[in-house]
C-alpha cells in the first residue's frame, strides 16, 4: 500500500492556528491533497483529546484511527503532538521542539497526565515543559516503548535542536543518554535532505519531512510529507519503516525548495536587510548594517557551520526526495491572482481551477507528480502544464527567504518574479 503521510500538524487549540483545524476538515482536505495518513496534532491537550475521541474511531489498521462516518481506506490518523522543552546547556538556555507519535489515544491521555507535572498541558496545543529533553524522552519511552520521538524542524533559528539562537551542535548534546531512542530528524521547510547529508554525524538518523500545518487547506497541509510502501498499514509498520530506512518501504520525502522557507538565508526583516548568503552575512559579522543588531542567522549558514562534507555529497542508501510547491499558489500566479491573498486561494477562479484538476486527476499529488503534462494542458492550460513541468525538472529560480520572510519563486524566466509563499505560516 502506498502511503502519503503528514505526521506533524496542529489542532485549533494551538496558537496562531485556524479554527478549521478539526478532524472532519483535516480529513476532507487530506484526501484532496493525496494524503492517506495524518497526525492528529496536539494529542496532549485535554480538550482536543475529548474531541478526538468523539470524532475518531479505531480502524482495522492497528494503532490508527479513521474519522467517524468516513469509512475505512481513505484517511487514517496517528496520535501525535509537538511539545517544547526549556533547559540549560553549557551555560545557555536552550529551547527545542519535539514531535511525539503514540500508538493510541489512551497512551496520549496517560502521557498528558504524566507531563502535567512539568507544565500546563491545557495552556496551548503545543505545551512547553521545564524539563531536559533526555528526561522527556525517558518519560515518554518508559510509559510505552512504542512511542516515537524526534526533534521538530531541526534547523530553524528558534525552538530547534540545531537552531542558531537556541540549539546545540550535536544530537547527543540535546538528548544525552536518551539519544539511543532517537531515530529520526525532521528537516523543516528551510532545509532538505541534501543539506543534512553534509553533516556526517546525522547519517544514523532517518530524515523525515512533515508540514507543521496550522490550517487544513491543501496549500498548508501536506506541503511536506513522507511516502511509504507498506504490505500492511499499521502504526508499528510506519515506525519500523522510518527506523529501518528500508528503501523498499520508505520510498521518499516530499519537500518544498529550502530557499522557499522563511529562514533559509540570513537577514533582518525590520530593516529590510536580506536575503544575505552565508558569505555576505559573515562579512557583516552577522550584524545588521542599518541598526547594528544581530542578524537572524539562516539555516544555510547554520548547516555550513556544522558541515564536514562538501555540497553534493550523498550517503549510500539515502532515502530520495522530490521538491514541490502548493498547486493553488501556482494556479494563482498563472491567473494573475496575488498568492499572498490567502482568501483568493480558496475562492473564485483559483479554487474552481484547482477543483477542476482534482476532479480529473484525483488529488493534488497526482497532478504535481504523476499526471501527464499533455493531459494537464488539455484539462487546464499550456501555462500550467509548463509550470508543473519546470517544477518536476527543478527548473525554478528562487530568491531565498530570510528572517520570517518566505522565498520568492520565478516560474517563468521571461516574467517578473512571482511571490509564492511569503504569507504561509
Amino acid at each position: 500500500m502506498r502511503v502519503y503521510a503528514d505526521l506533524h500538524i496542529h489542532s485549533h487549540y494551538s496558537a496562531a492556528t485556524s479554527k478549521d483545524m478539526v478532524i472532519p476538515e483535516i480529513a476532507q482536505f487530506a484526501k484532496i491533497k493525496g494524503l492517506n495518513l495524518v497526525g492528529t496534532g496536539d494529542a496532549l491537550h485535554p480538550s482536543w483529546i475529548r474531541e478526538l475521541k468523539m470524532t475518531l474511531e479505531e480502524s482495522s489498521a492497528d494503532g490508527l484511527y479513521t474519522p467517524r462516518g468516513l469509512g475505512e481506506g481513505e484517511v487514517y490518523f496517528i496520535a501525535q503532538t509537538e511539545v517544547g522543552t526549556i533547559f540549560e546547556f553549557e551555560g545557555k538556555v536552550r529551547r527545542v521542539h519535539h514531535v511525539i507519535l503514540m500508538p493510541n489515544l489512551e497512551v496520549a491521555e496517560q502521557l498528558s497526565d504524566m507531563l502535567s507535572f512539568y507544565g500546563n498541558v491545557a495552556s496551548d496545543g503545543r505545551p512547553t515543559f521545564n524539563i531536559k529533553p533526555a528526561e522527556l524522552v525517558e518519560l515518554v519511552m518508559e510509559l510505552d516503548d512504542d512511542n516515537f520521538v524526534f526533534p521538530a524542524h531541526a534547523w530553524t533559528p528558534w525552538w530547534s535542536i540545531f537552531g542558531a539562537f537556541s540549539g546545540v551542535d550535536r544530537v547527543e548534546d540535546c538528548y544525552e543518554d536518551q539519544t539511543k531512542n532517537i531515530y529520526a530528524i525532521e528537516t523543516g521547510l528551510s532545509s532538505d535532505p541534501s543539506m543534512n547529508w553534509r553533516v556526517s554525524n546525522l547519517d544514523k538518523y532517518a530524515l523525515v519531512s512533515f508540514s507543521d500545518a496550522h490550517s487544513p487547506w491543501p496549500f498548508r497541509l501536506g506541503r511536506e510529507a513522507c511516502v511509504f510502501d507498506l504490505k500492511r498499514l499499521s502504526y508499528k509498520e510506519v515506525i519500523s519503516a522510518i527506523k529501518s530506512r528500508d528503501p523498499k518501504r520508505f520510498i521518499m520525502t516530499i519537500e518544498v525548495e529550502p530557499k522557499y522557507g522563511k529562514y533559509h538565508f540570513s537577514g533582518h526583516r525590520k530593516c529590510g536587510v536580506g536575503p544575505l548568503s552565508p558569505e555576505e552575512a559573515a562579512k557583516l559579522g552577522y550584524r545588521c548594517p542599518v541598526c547594528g543588531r544581530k542578524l537572524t542567522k539562516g539555516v544555510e549558514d547554520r548547516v555550513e557551520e556544522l558541515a564536514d562534507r562538501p555540497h553534493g555529497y550523498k550517503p549510500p542508501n539515502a532515502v530520495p526526495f522530490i521538491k514541490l510547491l502548493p498547486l493553488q499558489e501556482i494556479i494563482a500566479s498563472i491567473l494573475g491572482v496575488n498568492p499572498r491573498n490567502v482568501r483568493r486561494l480558496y475562492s473564485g477562479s483559483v479554487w474552481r481551477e484547482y477543483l477542476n484538476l482534482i476532479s480529473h486527476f484525483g488529488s493534488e499529488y497526482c497532478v504535481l507528480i504523476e499526471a501527464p503534462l499533455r493531459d494537464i494542458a488539455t484539462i487546464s492550460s499550456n501555462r500550467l502544464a509548463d509550470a508543473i513541468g519546470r517544477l518536476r525538472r527543478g527548473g525554478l529560480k528562487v530568491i531565498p527567504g530570510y528572517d520570517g520572510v518566505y522565498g520568492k519563486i520565478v516560474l517563468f524566466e521571461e516574467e517578473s518574479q512571482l511571490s509564492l509563499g511569503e504569507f504561509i505560516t
Side-chain angles (χ1 to χ4, degrees):
M1 177 181 181
R2 183 59 60 96
V3 178
Y4 288 79
D6 184 356
L7 303 182
H8 179 188
I9 71 168
H10 290 279
S11 77
H12 62 99
Y13 287 99
S14 282
T17 301
S18 168
K19 61 180 177 57
D20 295 324
M21 283 301 269
V22 293
I23 292 300
E25 295 287 324
I26 296 169
Q28 174 189 355
F29 289 113
K31 184 178 178 182
I32 289 173
K33 186 76 177 188
L35 293 164
N36 46 7
L37 181 60
V38 186
T40 61
D42 302 350
L44 300 186
H45 195 284
S47 297
W48 184 235
I49 292 175
R50 287 194 290 270
E51 286 190 35
L52 292 174
K53 288 185 174 182
M54 289 189 294
T55 55
L56 294 175
E57 58 188 1
E58 292 184 7
S59 75
S60 60
D62 293 342
L64 306 183
Y65 296 82
T66 55
R68 293 187 186 276
L70 186 63
E72 293 273 342
E74 293 191 348
V75 180
Y76 296 87
F77 284 83
I78 279 181
Q80 170 262 319
T81 192
E82 181 183 3
V83 304
T85 56
I86 299 177
F87 63 105
E88 187 173 309
F89 177 76
E90 294 186 346
K92 181 180 177 181
V93 174
R94 317 286 175 158
R95 296 174 173 85
V96 177
H97 281 161
H98 321 262
V99 176
I100 305 173
L101 305 180
M102 294 154 282
N104 54 63
L105 291 175
E106 287 69 32
V107 169
E109 198 164 24
Q110 294 169 26
L111 185 59
S112 178
D113 291 340
M114 179 183 295
L115 292 176
S116 66
F117 291 98
Y118 302 92
N120 186 352
V121 294
S123 63
D124 188 81
R126 182 178 56 196
T128 299
F129 304 115
N130 290 304
I131 186 175
K132 297 176 70 175
E135 295 175 86
L136 171 71
V137 175
E138 186 173 16
L139 289 169
V140 169
M141 300 310 296
E142 282 182 352
L143 177 62
D144 194 308
D145 58 12
D146 285 330
N147 287 331
F148 190 67
V149 185
F150 56 88
H153 41 72
W155 295 93
T156 54
W158 292 276
W159 289 99
S160 70
I161 186 171
F162 300 132
F165 294 127
S166 63
V168 296
D169 290 349
R170 303 183 310 145
V171 176
E172 293 82 0
D173 295 338
C174 180
Y175 294 106
E176 301 176 89
D177 64 319
Q178 291 302 307
T179 301
K180 64 185 180 183
N181 286 314
I182 303 300
Y183 293 89
I185 290 174
E186 185 182 48
T187 58
L189 295 183
S190 291
S191 88
D192 65 15
S194 66
M195 295 167 65
N196 288 261
W197 292 339
R198 297 187 60 207
V199 184
S200 63
N201 61 20
L202 300 184
D203 285 354
K204 67 185 83 169
Y205 304 102
L207 300 177
V208 296
S209 298
F210 304 119
S211 72
D212 195 4
H214 287 58
S215 164
W217 288 93
F219 52 87
R220 301 285 204 269
L221 192 66
R223 56 188 172 181
E224 296 204 325
C226 290
V227 184
F228 305 103
D229 192 356
L230 306 176
K231 291 183 178 179
R232 179 175 177 271
L233 180 60
S234 71
Y235 174 84
K236 288 187 177 180
E237 281 296 307
V238 171
I239 300 305
S240 174
I242 295 174
K243 285 184 175 181
S244 67
R245 293 177 285 164
D246 178 359
K248 294 182 179 178
R249 293 188 294 162
F250 192 170
I251 303 302
M252 65 178 178
T253 60
I254 294 172
E255 315 275 338
V256 296
E257 164 61 52
K259 293 178 182 178
Y260 178 73
K262 59 183 177 179
Y263 293 109
H264 186 71
F265 266 12
S266 297
H268 190 203
R269 176 175 49 178
K270 288 185 178 179
C271 292
V273 175
L276 299 171
S277 70
E279 295 77 16
E280 292 169 328
K283 286 181 180 178
L284 294 172
Y286 288 94
R287 291 284 176 179
C288 176
V290 176
C291 69
R293 294 182 179 179
K294 282 186 178 181
L295 298 173
T296 298
K297 184 179 291 186
V299 168
E300 181 73 31
D301 304 61
R302 185 68 175 129
V303 171
E304 195 67 42
E305 287 180 354
L306 300 186
D308 56 356
R309 288 168 171 163
H311 288 278
Y313 179 87
K314 183 178 180 180
N317 303 317
V319 174
F321 66 96
I322 60 172
K323 298 178 184 180
L324 299 180
L325 289 170
L327 179 59
Q328 283 165 278
E329 297 177 37
I330 298 174
I331 294 171
S333 295
I334 287 174
L335 294 179
V337 174
N338 184 355
R340 300 181 191 179
N341 187 336
V342 176
R343 292 187 181 277
R344 297 289 298 277
L345 295 183
Y346 55 81
S347 64
S349 59
V350 175
W351 188 237
R352 286 195 299 271
E353 184 60 26
Y354 181 86
L355 290 180
N356 176 48
L357 289 159
I358 300 305
S359 68
H360 280 88
F361 298 109
S363 73
E364 178 173 334
Y365 285 151
C366 184
V367 175
L368 293 176
I369 301 172
E370 302 172 1
L373 297 178
R374 181 175 298 177
D375 292 350
I376 294 174
T378 300
I379 297 301
S380 180
S381 68
N382 289 330
R383 284 171 63 79
L384 181 62
D386 188 16
I388 291 175
R390 290 170 183 260
L391 179 67
R392 292 176 182 177
R393 297 191 301 271
L396 295 176
K397 276 192 173 182
V398 182
I399 299 174
Y402 70 98
D403 195 19
V405 178
Y406 276 86
K408 297 179 180 180
I409 300 163
V410 180
L411 286 178
F412 301 99
E413 292 284 353
E414 68 274 13
E415 297 181 358
S416 60
Q417 69 188 35
L418 303 174
S419 301
L420 298 183
E422 290 187 52
F423 59 86
I424 290 182
T425 59

